[in-house]
Amino acid sequence: MDRIRVQGGSADDTAVFTTSLYHVLLQPLTGNDADGRYRGSDERIHVAEDWTYYQFFSLWDTYRTQNQLLAMLVPDRARDIARSVLTIDEQGGWLPRWAYANYETNTMTGDPVTPFLVDLWRFGALAGNEQRAYEALLRNADGVPPAESPYEGRAGNESYLSQGFVQHDPDFPKKGQDVDPHHGGSATMEYALADCSLSIMAAALGRQQDAAAFAERGRSWRNVWDGTVHDPERGFTGFPRPRNLDGSWVAPYEPVSDDGFHEGTAWQYQWLTQQDVPGLLEAVGGPEQAEKRLDTFFAYDKLLTDPARTAREEWVIDPYDYYGQFRYNPNNEPDLHSPWMYALVGHPDKTSAVARAQQTLFTNAPDGVTGNDDLGTMSAWYVFSALGLYPAVPGTGQFVLNAPRFERAVVELPGRRPLTITAPGADGGRLQYDAGVRVSGQPRDQVWVGWEQLRDGGSVDHTLSDRPSGWGTGPDAAPASPCAG
């Protein structure tokens, strides 16, 4: 719990931050007994010697935030977590999606294990196991588990690999709680995000042909983008839309429909394109239209007047009411990164405002976590946003910046110098914006900083303003999208 120490906030701010960090560190769970024995995915007894075998991997959730935070703060645990996931693959015959003890539930959809492991590789937790992990990920990305296997893997791969999209088929047989073709639209987008992350790892390992192929597949979200879908109430045209096996569009359809998207709508999933921002901008009609969509999505005008009320009355509908919505859903995972999409399209000031508004949903009270914490995912969102760093694009090791909540935070990086984050005058009770950033003493106009710049410690120093300053809006401020084409 001493890996991050914060100063400068209110007593409630400190309590919420510390509680969030505690939640982050609860999962996954130790799976072996004191003598190292554990029951593996093959139902046999194994022994973990000189390492800890972990269980309970809610990967659809944790790949987005909690995984990266563990890799930073407790790298020895992250290495054992990575080893545990690879051990499940070896003993069970396939990589997991949602492993409950030694049982695969096949809960949720998409391909979360790929960005999960690729980020562990990026943060150094796969050192010595890079090739072993890559081969498992390659088999998962290009294949489907055999019928007798309890694992579903990428159950939508047949149509995805042949036609570029996961077909929407509500009657597709499933082995567990969920299966990808039941949510073909979102599964396609999740596969594309995963493929892009794998392309980054492939390139680093010298697998250039694989890297090019996966980068192209990282743009597969475009295959479920229908430029004719119109939302008459909001006045926008062009949204993701699921497709049938023969390539036809699912009809009738509207962008707040419950067809084709898992625990969300096309309004929310349209932002799961962070690996290809130029492609998204082209799809929506340019940066100005993207900003207008985000403003509508976050009720930005109302947010500026009353951030807390907007977050509670415009965004939060019900913890498990996923459909019929065109607003941001801070209770659920698919759009958690979307506040930082503002920064990626040229408006980092709005990222800071939205992050502050969402932080009001975390309180020092029994109901102080928004939605279901999902094994530390929501709490990790809070920790990252309060620090002013967010891992928005899987596989890149890039943190997109926002105005921190605390005047000072010291992040202990085991075996290295600490990372110190300062923001004099930070006040979580009002909206604030970045007016300047220095990384280890050097001015930085970019809205992001890479793990390679932070992993050996140093400093990120923010100058805050009560008004948008224009910082981070230059033509090269945003990072290059890894799979833009």
Side-chain angles (χ1 to χ4, degrees):
M1 289 296 296
D2 64 354
R3 295 291 163 91
I4 308 180
R5 301 183 302 278
V6 295
Q7 300 172 13
S10 68
D12 279 348
D13 283 339
T14 303
V16 170
F17 185 90
T18 306
T19 303
S20 297
L21 181 58
Y22 170 72
H23 289 164
V24 169
L25 298 172
L26 290 175
Q27 302 286 347
L29 298 177
T30 300
N32 58 260
D33 209 334
D35 60 2
R37 290 185 305 158
Y38 67 91
R39 187 178 298 276
S41 299
D42 56 2
E43 293 293 342
R44 298 177 181 176
I45 302 299
H46 301 268
V47 179
E49 296 181 357
D50 302 320
W51 68 289
T52 301
Y53 176 76
Y54 286 103
Q55 296 177 325
F56 294 91
F57 292 104
S58 175
L59 301 181
W60 189 82
D61 309 295
T62 58
Y63 91 78
R64 304 170 202 264
T65 55
Q66 191 248 12
N67 184 41
Q68 299 89 332
L69 197 53
L70 292 184
M72 290 174 60
L73 301 181
V74 283
D76 55 336
R77 304 299 180 95
R79 284 190 291 271
D80 285 354
I81 287 168
R83 183 172 178 177
S84 299
V85 171
L86 295 178
T87 298
I88 291 173
D89 175 71
E90 291 177 353
Q91 295 173 357
W94 211 265
L95 288 167
R97 173 177 294 156
W98 210 127
Y100 186 93
N102 66 330
Y103 172 73
E104 176 53 52
T105 67
N106 293 304
T107 300
M108 308 313 295
T109 50
D111 179 23
V113 72
T114 294
F116 183 89
L117 281 177
V118 170
D119 267 337
L120 287 179
W121 160 77
R122 171 62 77 180
F123 283 85
L126 280 173
N129 283 310
E130 296 93 340
Q131 294 295 338
R132 172 187 175 192
Y134 182 76
E135 293 303 327
L137 289 169
L138 184 63
R139 176 163 41 90
N140 173 75
D142 285 345
V144 177
E148 64 273 15
S149 169
Y151 296 83
E152 283 182 346
R154 289 193 181 196
N157 249 356
E158 183 175 354
S159 64
Y160 181 74
L161 297 179
S162 63
Q163 301 184 75
F165 61 88
V166 178
Q167 82 273 23
H168 181 59
D169 180 1
D171 297 321
F172 195 91
K174 60 182 181 178
K175 298 179 180 179
Q177 292 196 20
D178 300 297
V179 69
D180 294 337
H182 288 189
H183 310 277
S186 58
T188 301
M189 303 187 81
E190 293 274 12
Y191 284 17
L193 187 65
D195 280 337
C196 183
S197 71
L198 191 54
S199 75
I200 298 170
M201 184 177 182
L205 296 180
R207 307 284 286 264
Q208 299 304 328
Q209 187 173 353
D210 287 356
F214 284 119
E216 183 176 355
R217 281 162 55 171
R219 297 184 286 276
S220 296
W221 67 270
R222 302 182 187 192
N223 298 327
V224 292
W225 189 277
D226 183 357
T228 69
V229 173
H230 183 61
D231 185 333
E233 290 189 46
R234 267 65 63 175
F236 295 100
T237 301
F239 287 91
R241 181 179 184 178
R243 306 183 83 137
N244 298 308
L245 183 59
D246 63 5
S248 61
W249 297 110
V250 169
Y253 182 75
E254 56 183 349
V256 295
S257 171
D258 60 355
D259 288 329
F261 294 90
H262 202 171
E263 295 190 359
T265 67
W267 259 100
Q268 291 152 359
Y269 272 98
Q270 69 182 314
W271 309 116
L272 199 73
T273 49
Q274 62 265 49
Q275 79 277 18
D276 181 14
V277 172
L280 174 65
L281 293 179
E282 181 180 358
V284 301
E288 184 177 343
Q289 284 297 311
E291 182 187 9
K292 288 181 179 179
R293 284 191 187 223
L294 285 165
D295 288 349
T296 300
F297 187 59
F298 288 109
Y300 194 77
D301 288 345
K302 294 182 179 180
L303 183 152
L304 291 176
T305 302
D306 193 336
R309 183 174 182 178
T310 300
R312 292 192 176 276
E313 295 186 3
E314 296 291 335
W315 300 351
V316 176
I317 306 301
D318 182 89
Y320 301 103
D321 187 0
Y322 302 119
Y323 302 107
Q325 310 300 332
F326 69 96
R327 296 284 200 211
Y328 177 48
N329 181 1
N331 288 338
N332 207 27
E333 281 71 21
D335 57 357
L336 281 184
H337 70 286
S338 57
W340 287 267
M341 293 298 286
Y342 265 130
L344 296 182
V345 301
H347 300 280
D349 55 307
K350 293 186 174 183
T351 287
S352 291
V354 170
R356 280 282 173 90
Q358 184 167 348
Q359 288 165 6
T360 66
L361 299 173
F362 294 78
T363 63
N364 187 15
D367 60 350
V369 178
T370 181
N372 181 337
D373 199 42
D374 283 322
L375 283 73
T377 300
M378 295 299 179
S379 292
W381 183 98
Y382 183 88
V383 171
F384 272 129
S385 71
L387 294 176
L389 303 168
Y390 195 84
V393 188
T396 63
Q398 297 166 349
F399 294 100
V400 186
L401 303 172
N402 63 275
R405 191 174 183 87
F406 295 92
E407 290 192 322
R408 181 180 176 86
V410 179
V411 182
E412 298 292 341
L413 303 173
R416 294 170 172 148
R417 294 184 302 147
L419 170 64
T420 302
I421 302 169
T422 65
D427 179 359
R430 67 181 196 272
L431 298 182
Q432 292 178 303
Y433 312 91
D434 270 313
V437 175
R438 299 177 75 89
V439 177
S440 295
Q442 299 300 311
R444 187 165 185 85
D445 296 324
Q446 286 87 4
V447 299
W448 62 280
V449 61
W451 173 237
E452 291 77 8
Q453 297 166 275
L454 303 180
R455 64 186 177 191
D456 293 323
S459 62
V460 181
D461 301 306
H462 297 253
T463 300
L464 300 185
S465 170
D466 289 333
R467 297 177 181 274
S469 68
W471 173 84
T473 58
D476 299 317
S481 292
C483 290

